[in-house]
Amino acid sequence: MNGVVVLIIGVALLACGYIFYGRWLCKQWGVGENKEETPAHTMQDGIDYVPAPAPVLMGHHFSSIAGAGPITGPISALKLGFGWLPCLAWIVIGGIFFGGVHDFGALFASVRHGGRSIGEIISENMSKRAKMLFLTFAYLTLILVVAAFASIVAGTFGATFTETGAVDLVASESNARVAMVSLLFIVIAIIFGFCVYRRNAPMGVASVIGVLAIVAIIAIGMVFHPIYLSATAWMWICGLYIAIASVTPVWILLQPRDYLSSFLLYAMLALAVVAVFVGHPSMASLPMVQAETCTTPVFPVLFTTIACGAISGFHSLVSSGTTSKQLDKETDAKPIAYGGMLLECVLAVLVLCAVAGFANANGGDIGVGPTVLFGGGIAGMIDPSHGTVYSVLYTLLVLTYSSFCLTSLDTATRLARFMFQEFWVDSNKGETPESVTGYKKVLSNPYVATIITVVLGILLGMNGYGKIWALFGSANQLLAALGLLAVATWLGKVGKDNNMFLIPMAFMLCVTIASLAINTKTQIGVIGQGGADWGPYAQVILGVLLIVLAVVLAIEGVVTIWNQKKSKAAA
C-alpha cells in the first residue's frame, strides 16, 4: 500500500473521532456548562496559575506531551517486527477511544478541582492512601523521565571526540548547530514573553515577529556554532536550566517558549506531509502484519511500546499539572487536550510513513537510530540525492526532535516539583505549602522540591538510567490506567456518565500487569544466569512493587465505582 493512502486514511479517521466522539464526550461530561471562571483566573498567582490564549496553551500542551514518544514508539514497534498495520490500527483506535479520552478527561477533571493534579483528584474521590501511593509512583516515574530526556538532549547537543581527545568537528557539527539554535531559542522566548505579557504587544504581531526570529536564529545557528561541549557537560547545563525553568513564572519562559516551539513542530508535521506526498513511500518495504521472525508477543508489548502515539500516562500529569492551571476557558479543553492527543497520533502515522520511505531507499534496512530513521526518511523522500537540501532538512528535523525533548524535560521537572510538594500537603484539610509547619514546610517549599528533583534526575541520567528504562513503558501505561480510574471515579461521584472510561481502564491495567510480569520473569532469568549487575535486581523489585500497586489501586477504584453505581441504581 502507498504511504499517501495510509496517511489519508489515518488522518480522516482521527478527524472524524475529534468531530463526532469529541463532541459526544463534551455533551456527556457537561463541558462548558460551568459558567464560573477557570482556576487560571480564580487562583491566578503570576507563577503557575496564569491564563493563556488557546493557541499559546496548545503550543505548550502539544510540545510537552509529544516529547520523543510519538517518534521513538512507532519506530521501536516496527523494529520489533509487529508490522505497520497493527501499529496503525492501535494509533488510530487508541488515540480516539483511549488516549484522547484520557487526556481530555484529566484536564477537565483537574479544572473542576481547582487545577489540582490527578493525585489530589484520587485523594478527594477515593482515599488519601491511594493518593500517596499514586504520588510516590508518579514522582519516581517523572524522575526517570527527567533522567532520560536530559540524556537525550545532552546527546543531541554533545560533541564527538577522537581517540586523542580532540573534538571531531565534522562529526559534531550537526549537534553543535542544534545546541546553538536551542540556546538562542530560549533567549527569543524570554523576549517574546516579556513583550506580550509586560508590554501588551498584540499576539498576532508578536507571533509573526517570533516566527521570523526563529528563522533568523536557525540561519545563524547553521553558520555560527562555536560551542563544542561533551554530553556530560551538557547534562550539567541541562540540570541548571531545568532547575531555573521549573520555578520561573510560566509567562517568562514556559508559555512563550512552548508556543514558539510549536511553530517548529507544526512545520515539521507539514514537512513530513509534503515528504509523504512527494516521495509516495511504499509500505511494502515493511512487514504488513507481525513478521515471521518476530518472537515478541503483540500483547502486551505493542501497547507499551507505541505509548505516546496512542495513550500515555505522562499526558495526564501534563493535563492536570501545568495545562489546567493555564486554561483560559473550559471550552478550550477539547481542542487542547483531545485535539492535542489526536495531533500526536497524526505525527505517529507520519513516522510509519517516514520509516517506510527510509526502508525503500535502504533495501528494507531500518537498523539505525530513531533520529536517523525519522529525519533521514523525511529528508530523503524530498531530496533522494542526499545533497544540500537533505543536509539542511535533516538538521532542522533533529533540531525539532530536540525541541520536543527539551520542552518535555522542562515540563516534567515542574510536574515532579508539584508532585513532591503535594506529597507533604493534605489539601482535603485545607493545607497549603504556606500553611504547613515543620519538616513539611521545608519539603513542600518549591525551591527545595526542585533541587531534590533535579539532583535525582541528573544523577540517574548520568549513572545508568538505561538499566531500568525497560520498566518505563509499563510504568507509563500504569499511569494512564490510574489516570482513567481517577477521572472515572470523579465522574461517577458527580453523577456523570463514566462508562467510556471503563473498558480503556481495564485494558490498560491488563496491559500493564502482563507487561510487568513478562519483564520480571525475563529479569529473573538474567539473574539466574549469573553475573548480573544491579539493573536486573532493581527491575525485579520495582516490577513486583508496581504489580502490587496496580492491583491495590485497581481494587480500590473498582470498589469505589461499583458502590457509586449501586447508589445511583438505588436512587
Side-chain angles (χ1 to χ4, degrees):
M1 183 180 289
N2 193 296
V4 174
V5 177
V6 170
L7 178 59
I8 291 174
I9 292 174
V11 171
L13 291 173
L14 292 168
C16 289
Y18 176 80
I19 294 170
F20 300 108
Y21 196 59
R23 181 190 301 161
W24 181 79
L25 291 175
C26 290
K27 183 178 179 181
Q28 294 301 307
W29 301 344
V31 177
E33 291 178 354
N34 189 351
K35 302 304 179 183
E36 296 179 4
E37 291 186 319
T38 62
H41 292 279
T42 59
M43 303 175 66
Q44 186 170 357
D45 60 6
I47 299 175
D48 297 313
Y49 288 84
V50 178
V56 174
L57 188 54
M58 178 63 175
H60 157 69
H61 185 79
F62 181 52
S63 299
S64 298
I65 66 171
I71 296 175
T72 58
I75 288 175
S76 298
L78 290 174
K79 283 188 171 186
L80 287 171
F82 290 139
W84 63 263
L85 186 58
C87 292
L88 176 66
W90 174 236
I91 289 168
V92 173
I93 296 172
I96 294 172
F97 299 104
F98 289 67
V101 174
H102 168 268
D103 295 15
F104 187 13
L107 176 55
F108 180 56
S110 179
V111 169
R112 289 292 180 92
H113 284 78
R116 291 185 291 167
S117 73
I118 289 294
E120 295 291 355
I121 295 170
I122 288 176
S123 176
E124 185 171 318
N125 297 283
M126 289 173 57
S127 68
K128 182 179 178 181
R129 180 188 67 175
K131 167 198 167 179
M132 304 302 278
L133 288 173
F134 176 84
L135 288 180
T136 302
F137 162 60
Y139 181 76
L140 294 176
T141 303
L142 285 171
I143 292 296
L144 187 56
V145 171
V146 170
F149 281 13
S151 181
I152 291 172
V153 170
T156 58
F157 288 2
T160 301
F161 295 85
T162 63
E163 294 181 357
T164 61
V167 175
D168 187 335
L169 295 178
V170 175
S172 305
E173 186 175 35
S174 178
N175 283 14
R177 288 171 174 171
V178 172
M180 188 64 184
V181 175
S182 297
L183 293 176
L184 292 174
F185 202 100
I186 293 172
V187 174
I188 67 168
I190 293 173
I191 295 172
F192 180 92
F194 178 78
C195 291
V196 171
Y197 289 101
R198 286 297 177 267
R199 289 294 178 264
N200 298 316
M203 181 60 70
V205 174
S207 298
V208 172
I209 296 175
V211 170
L212 292 176
I214 292 173
V215 175
I217 65 171
I218 290 174
I220 293 171
M222 294 293 288
V223 297
F224 179 71
H225 37 267
I227 304 175
Y228 289 82
L229 300 175
S230 68
T232 301
W234 279 116
M235 279 290 286
W236 288 113
I237 293 172
C238 282
L240 178 62
Y241 166 74
I242 60 178
I244 296 172
S246 66
V247 293
T248 300
V250 293
W251 65 266
I252 293 179
L253 182 59
L254 186 133
Q255 281 186 3
R257 188 212 54 217
D258 292 357
Y259 174 61
L260 291 176
S261 69
S262 68
F263 287 104
L264 273 179
L265 309 182
Y266 301 146
M268 182 187 71
L269 288 170
L271 182 63
V273 171
V274 170
V276 172
F277 277 88
V278 170
H280 284 270
S282 171
M283 305 302 291
S285 57
L286 301 172
M288 182 176 180
V289 294
Q290 189 173 15
E292 294 181 0
T293 56
C294 176
T295 57
T296 306
V298 173
F299 182 90
V301 181
L302 172 66
F303 307 100
T304 57
T305 301
I306 289 182
C308 295
I311 181 172
S312 167
F314 178 67
H315 294 189
S316 67
L317 303 185
V318 175
S319 292
S320 67
T322 54
T323 306
S324 63
K325 295 175 176 63
Q326 302 172 64
L327 193 73
D328 184 37
K329 296 180 296 184
E330 194 171 271
T331 50
D332 289 342
K334 178 192 170 186
I336 289 172
Y338 196 68
M341 179 65 240
L342 297 191
L343 190 59
E344 191 167 350
C345 294
V346 172
L347 175 57
V349 174
L350 286 166
V351 169
L352 299 180
C353 298
V355 175
F358 186 93
N360 291 339
N362 293 274
D365 181 22
I366 58 172
V368 294
T371 306
V372 177
L373 277 175
F374 178 66
I378 292 174
M381 285 188 283
I382 293 177
D383 181 14
S385 65
H386 286 212
T388 303
V389 174
Y390 175 91
S391 178
V392 172
L393 291 179
Y394 182 80
T395 299
L396 291 177
L397 289 164
V398 173
L399 168 64
T400 307
Y401 179 82
S402 176
S403 177
F404 270 118
C405 296
L406 190 59
T407 302
S408 295
L409 173 61
D410 181 351
T411 302
T413 308
R414 188 177 288 260
L415 293 173
R417 188 252 292 178
F418 289 157
M419 296 284 175
F420 193 88
Q421 290 180 272
E422 288 178 2
F423 189 86
W424 311 104
V425 176
D426 189 347
S427 59
N428 289 337
K429 293 182 179 179
E431 292 181 351
T432 66
E434 293 75 24
S435 66
V436 292
T437 59
Y439 73 93
K440 290 185 177 181
K441 189 173 187 65
V442 174
L443 293 174
S444 63
N445 179 278
Y447 299 103
V448 173
T450 297
I451 292 171
I452 292 173
T453 298
V454 172
V455 169
L456 290 176
I458 296 301
L459 288 180
L460 180 59
M462 297 176 68
N463 292 280
Y465 79 90
K467 295 181 183 295
I468 58 174
W469 182 248
L471 284 173
F472 176 72
S474 301
N476 187 41
Q477 300 306 56
L478 177 54
L479 273 176
L482 298 179
L484 291 164
L485 175 62
V487 182
T489 56
W490 167 64
L491 286 173
K493 182 177 180 180
V494 297
K496 298 287 186 180
D497 182 9
N498 64 1
N499 290 324
M500 70 289 293
F501 285 91
L502 302 185
I503 292 177
M505 178 187 70
F507 182 79
M508 297 314 300
L509 280 172
C510 291
V511 164
T512 297
I513 294 173
S515 178
L516 288 169
I518 291 173
N519 185 69
T520 301
K521 180 181 177 181
T522 300
Q523 298 306 317
I524 291 175
V526 172
I527 294 172
Q529 293 174 3
D533 59 13
W534 64 270
Y537 290 96
Q539 288 197 50
V540 168
I541 294 171
L542 292 174
V544 172
L545 290 176
L546 288 178
I547 290 174
V548 173
L549 172 68
V551 172
V552 169
L553 289 180
I555 292 173
E556 187 159 344
V558 169
V559 169
T560 300
I561 293 172
W562 176 258
N563 290 335
Q564 289 172 348
K565 290 189 177 295
K566 282 178 64 178
S567 298
K568 185 177 179 180

